[in-house]
Amino acid sequence: MKALKRWLYKRLKPEAWHKFHWEIDRERPIEEACFVVFDTETTGLDLKRDEAISIGAVKIEGLKIDLSKSFYRLLKPSRAFADSIKVHGITPQDLKEAKERREVCQEFIEYAKGCLLVGYFVHIDIAMIRRLAEEECDGFFYPYALDLLDMIGEERASSLEDLAKKFKIPTSTLHNALEDAYTTALILLRVLRHENYRKVRDLPLKVV
């Protein structure tokens, strides 16, 4: 259904489509592909009610993480929140100087353009960016994305922390969008090398 929405949107509103989407070269060798591994911290997990309050991302080019191109933004919330503080440690006080939601929406789309989006349980993070795009940037967001969950097979774990332990990658106790994106990127690189993916078309891409 989401692939159909992407196709219809491109066909009916091509100019607006290109503001929020980009084509994926499936014949590109993996070592030449650009990956944006990202994560969001949110006010909760209700995809219809909750919203992103931080976005973290790292860029992989040439199968290397370039930390100088990291992306991290705090967003002003549009409504009060409390329960999720114990998960990520971000309080309303921390967000008083945060950026406006529309500005972060535009910055993240610009940052990610041309790259493959990657995440862990990526449908949650894409849903949060989609809401941001619809509410703040008057756009639709149905990108191709790669979920680490679809690549790890028997290594499936209930949380990113459990998966990191399997790969012997240290993590902190509180969730941080940039740190979780970095952890996911480290695991992605190991999986890409271990499974010997050759081209982008060999990856389990899907419209999310």
Side-chain angles (χ1 to χ4, degrees):
M1 181 60 78
K2 290 185 173 66
L4 178 60
K5 286 183 177 180
R6 176 185 167 98
W7 181 81
L8 286 172
Y9 184 38
K10 181 179 180 180
R11 197 171 169 83
L12 297 175
K13 298 184 176 180
E15 186 174 337
W17 187 91
H18 284 288
K19 290 182 180 177
F20 296 91
H21 302 83
W22 48 94
E23 302 290 355
I24 299 297
D25 181 0
R26 293 174 179 271
E27 296 306 315
R28 178 165 292 179
I30 291 295
E31 59 269 22
E32 295 178 11
C34 171
F35 299 87
V36 163
V37 187
F38 79 109
D39 183 64
T40 62
E41 297 302 333
T42 69
T43 57
L45 293 176
D46 186 330
L47 301 184
K48 293 182 178 178
R49 181 176 61 86
D50 290 307
E51 61 187 13
I53 52 174
S54 76
I55 302 173
V58 296
K59 202 165 270 191
I60 296 176
E61 293 172 302
L63 292 182
K64 294 180 181 177
I65 301 171
D66 186 348
L67 290 177
S68 70
K69 296 181 179 178
S70 299
F71 181 99
Y72 184 69
R73 300 287 189 277
L74 293 173
L75 298 83
K76 285 186 178 177
S78 64
R79 54 185 69 88
F81 68 96
D83 291 345
S84 63
I85 295 175
K86 58 181 178 291
V87 176
H88 47 60
I90 301 172
T91 68
Q93 183 72 21
D94 296 328
L95 300 177
K96 282 191 173 180
E97 303 299 323
K99 286 196 167 188
E100 298 295 334
R101 304 184 68 77
R102 181 178 182 84
E103 184 178 3
V104 177
C105 168
Q106 294 169 338
E107 288 180 346
F108 181 75
I109 295 296
E110 190 62 31
Y111 175 82
K113 264 194 174 178
C115 298
L116 288 167
L117 291 169
V118 186
Y120 190 66
F121 286 99
V122 73
H123 68 282
I124 295 175
D125 301 300
I126 291 288
M128 291 297 169
I129 300 296
R130 180 177 299 126
R131 278 200 60 198
L132 191 63
E134 291 177 357
E135 294 177 358
E136 304 293 338
C137 294
D138 302 319
F140 292 90
F141 191 56
Y142 291 96
Y144 278 101
L146 183 63
D147 196 325
L148 196 57
L149 272 175
D150 295 331
M151 303 175 70
I152 55 181
E154 295 180 358
E155 298 292 335
R156 277 177 180 260
S158 58
S159 69
L160 181 61
E161 289 74 21
D162 291 338
L163 189 60
K165 287 178 184 176
K166 288 177 180 288
F167 284 87
K168 303 186 187 308
I169 295 171
T171 60
S172 64
T173 53
L174 280 176
H175 285 275
N176 172 278
L178 182 57
E179 184 176 319
D180 286 354
Y182 180 61
T183 299
T184 304
L186 290 174
I187 298 171
L188 173 67
L189 286 174
R190 294 193 187 183
V191 173
L192 286 174
R193 288 167 180 150
H194 183 266
E195 298 297 330
N196 198 27
Y197 290 100
R198 294 179 180 278
K199 292 192 175 183
V200 170
R201 62 178 161 80
D202 298 326
L203 298 170
L205 287 178
K206 57 188 177 185
V207 177
V208 181

